[in-house]
Amino acid sequence: MHHMNNVTYKGHLLSAIAVTDREVFSATLVVRDPSGVQRRSGALGTFASSIGAVRYAFAYGMAEIDHRKTPPSE
């Protein structure tokens, strides 16, 4: 099962995806910049819930946009 949410942050569209595999969730992120260029992260880690996976993916994407250190995963 896939869970996907979108957020716009500083003109970038962030699409966070949580995929369940048995009892854990993995997170990935698609970022579309203001010019329309799109890039996708690899797996960002495993999480106990889809909400945790999506929140982490958004935090990761926002940190990248701001050129900050990305947060550690769970």
Side-chain angles (χ1 to χ4, degrees):
M1 176 183 265
H2 298 296
H3 302 273
M4 185 171 176
N5 291 310
N6 297 317
V7 165
T8 301
Y9 181 72
K10 295 185 177 179
H12 295 74
L13 178 64
L14 306 175
S15 298
I17 305 159
V19 179
T20 184
D21 182 23
R22 295 186 182 100
E23 295 183 18
V24 296
F25 295 83
S26 61
T28 61
L29 180 71
V30 177
V31 178
R32 185 178 316 140
D33 71 22
S35 68
V37 175
Q38 185 171 297
R39 65 185 187 280
R40 183 181 182 121
S41 73
L44 298 174
T46 56
F47 303 85
S49 70
S50 63
I51 292 172
V54 166
R55 285 181 180 168
Y56 178 80
F58 286 143
Y60 180 94
M62 290 174 185
E64 276 199 341
I65 291 166
D66 291 340
H67 304 286
R68 293 182 281 119
K69 185 177 177 181
T70 55
S73 63
E74 290 181 351

